[in-house]
Amino acid sequence: GDAYGELSFGLKSVELNGRMPFLFRWPRALAIALLLAFLNALRPKSRLHGIAFLAEEGNRRGRRKRLAAMAGLTAVLIGAAWGFVRINPDCRSNLAPHHAQYQELAAALSRGEVSVGEADPLLLEVENPYDTIYLQANGIPYRADYSYYDGNYYVYFGIVPELLFYLPVYLLTGRALPNYLAVFAFFAGFILACAGLLFELMRRWFPKAPFYLYGVGMLMLTGSYSLFYLLIRPDLYHVPIIASCMFTAAGLWGWLRGLSAGRKKALWYAFGSLCMALTAGCRPQFALFSLLAVPLFWEEVFRKRELFSKKGAGRTAALILPFLAAAAGLMYYNALRFGSPLDFGASYSLTSNDMTHRGFNLSRIFYGLWYFLLEPPRMEASFPYLMSAAIETDYPGRMVSESCLGGIFACSMLSWPAFCLLCRKFFRRGTAQKGFCSAAAAVSAGVSLAIAAADATGAGILQRYSCDISFGLFLAAAVCLLLLAEWAREKGVYGAFVLWLKTAVLLHAAFLFLALIQADGSVNLLTGNPELYYSIQAMLRL
């Protein structure tokens, strides 16, 4: 045609069973080397099985080696996060105009305002401005995914990421912070928090567990495919989610550290409570993980009587006051925007459905639990192999959904140990402390299921919402995995446990790889980084 001119091509020859040149591809060689190293490291007679998490008392060299290994693993994970968050160039800028909400809010706050703009006069005349289908049909302009209230637009996403990163960067440099950098910053903090949380968990309850399980636990907490999805598509929606994951992990770390901190108990308790309270200023659902305080502090409250008594007044204040301070700040901010200290503004969002009339429906909960937890991934024989799972329902209304990769339990065998919580004997494993540990895992899993139900009925079935759920489930699964390893040694079936674990880790890593290259959805590696996409395809070609 006119755009390309006259196109032609010629075929010089056809050859059958021709010789193909040998092509050495170092990524493929590295992947094979890592696979063989992993299988060799966990062979039945490997020394790794005999290396306990804590070195014997007085073995300073062993302790330093373990700390160095943990620090090295943490650094590698942060480095990998930096690579993955930048792997799709499309995500280094806003994918849509409404993805600049945090940047707009930074400019507004610098002027002393909480609104990011005024509505079009036509919108003020509409009887129900939250019916976006009516707005589109009648050509009435509106700003999608902003909160609209009393003639003004507001940002309903949590204010804490704004105050931590976006506003300071804007005030110091005059420039807007890209969303992908905020996602990386919070993800790096999340990795650090998980490193501390898992260290305290194993030091307190599983000091004799094999040291390599620390690495597996870090993979479970920071490498679920749901959270991996945040890294490879870092956008506005993912900022408050990963921020809440970071604060939740840091809060639990602070509380666990405080249980054995001696004179610094109150300091660690205050740090943990502040982090847990700040989740309400990111993604309020995560505040439910504060219920983990019940099993964690059960002994100090009901047995030792050190909390909620005159003896422990300082520690009690350290636990409670951060929640009150954070609540006061959030309530003030809500009142400035929506006239109510308890209104976060999510129901005023101008999104694909009218959130002011969404209501509650039991059917949406059941559909949500299926797709978030149990939906099998959709696989095909040709590259890129993984496709979006079909979301089909007979719900007699609007079931908001986006392409998803599959349910958490269906996509990762590493989540399966959480099912051990269904066994009553699991709560009586070993000492009373192990019982509290199991109870904490049960609360974590229960909170995740409650969040899944709330997300499904309140918002819909979206891939990013599985991130709300996966942290609590994998935390419970990590605790159960450590208990299973201990039980396997006692019963003489440790070899079978290791065989299952190797399979689970390899399949988990394979699914993360498939999630990286899958080409469904509006943003993916094919559209954002086609050179890398086709390089991977060539690397996998036999």
Side-chain angles (χ1 to χ4, degrees), residues 192-532:
L192 291 171
C194 287
L197 169 60
L198 192 58
F199 175 82
E200 290 299 326
L201 178 69
M202 294 186 70
R203 184 180 69 86
R204 183 176 179 83
W205 284 310
F206 304 96
K208 296 182 180 180
F211 179 78
Y212 74 86
L213 288 179
Y214 179 86
V216 177
M218 285 294 289
L219 173 63
M220 295 170 70
L221 293 181
T222 66
S224 70
Y225 91 87
S226 302
L227 293 173
F228 185 66
Y229 176 79
L230 300 187
L231 276 181
I232 59 178
R233 186 184 169 173
D235 60 27
L236 166 70
Y237 299 102
H238 299 167
V239 172
I241 297 176
I242 191 57
S244 285
C245 289
M246 183 195 77
F247 283 122
T248 302
L252 295 175
W253 173 28
W255 281 350
L256 274 178
R257 182 70 182 89
L259 290 175
S260 55
R263 295 181 179 180
K264 296 182 179 180
K265 272 183 179 287
L267 183 62
W268 281 103
Y269 284 171
F271 169 75
S273 291
L274 178 61
C275 290
M276 296 299 286
L278 290 177
T279 59
C282 301
R283 192 155 174 81
Q285 294 95 314
F286 278 79
L288 289 175
F289 283 104
S290 297
L291 293 174
L292 281 164
V294 176
L296 291 180
F297 297 114
W298 185 275
E299 186 175 358
E300 291 205 2
V301 174
F302 296 103
R303 294 190 177 183
K304 296 180 179 179
R305 305 287 183 178
E306 293 179 354
L307 289 175
F308 299 99
S309 64
K310 292 183 179 180
K311 178 182 177 181
R315 298 172 187 173
T316 304
L319 281 171
I320 295 177
L321 290 180
F323 281 98
L324 297 179
L330 290 174
M331 292 169 73
Y332 175 71
Y333 179 59
N334 290 339
L336 286 178
R337 298 183 297 167
F338 308 116
S340 170
L342 301 178
D343 195 339
F344 286 83
S347 60
Y348 304 131
S349 173
L350 295 176
T351 185
S352 59
N353 60 111
D354 186 352
M355 298 294 289
T356 61
H357 292 84
R358 187 157 179 83
F360 173 86
N361 188 282
L362 196 60
S363 295
R364 292 202 298 265
I365 292 179
F366 287 121
Y367 283 125
L369 291 177
W370 167 259
Y371 286 109
F372 284 139
L373 303 177
L374 302 173
E375 169 74 359
R378 179 186 161 204
M379 304 290 294
E380 293 188 359
S382 58
F383 187 86
Y385 312 116
L386 179 64
M387 306 296 167
S388 294
I391 298 180
E392 299 177 357
T393 71
D394 57 358
Y395 176 70
R398 182 171 178 80
M399 192 74 188
V400 180
S401 63
E402 291 181 0
S403 59
C404 295
L405 301 181
I408 293 172
F409 290 126
C411 295
S412 176
M413 289 174 61
L414 288 176
S415 64
W416 293 1
F419 287 108
C420 293
L421 295 171
L422 300 176
C423 178
R424 291 183 59 187
K425 292 183 179 180
F426 211 67
F427 290 87
R428 297 195 294 269
R429 294 261 334 129
T431 64
Q433 282 190 330
K434 293 287 179 63
F436 289 128
C437 188
S438 301
V443 172
S444 180
V447 167
S448 290
L449 294 178
I451 293 176
D455 282 352
T457 189
I461 303 170
L462 284 72
Q463 178 64 56
R464 63 178 177 268
Y465 292 163
S466 65
C467 303
D468 295 345
I469 307 158
S470 64
F471 172 74
L473 288 180
F474 276 100
L475 176 59
V479 173
C480 295
L481 180 72
L482 294 168
L483 288 170
L484 273 177
E486 190 177 79
W487 172 85
R489 284 190 183 277
E490 294 174 358
K491 299 298 183 181
V493 293
Y494 183 73
F497 166 79
V498 172
L499 178 61
W500 170 85
L501 183 62
K502 287 191 290 187
T503 304
V505 170
L506 291 177
L507 290 178
H508 186 91
F511 194 84
L512 293 184
F513 175 72
L514 294 178
L516 172 66
I517 63 175
Q518 70 93 23
D520 282 356
S522 58
V523 179
N524 52 59
L525 204 61
L526 174 60
T527 58
N529 195 342
E531 182 178 357
L532 177 59

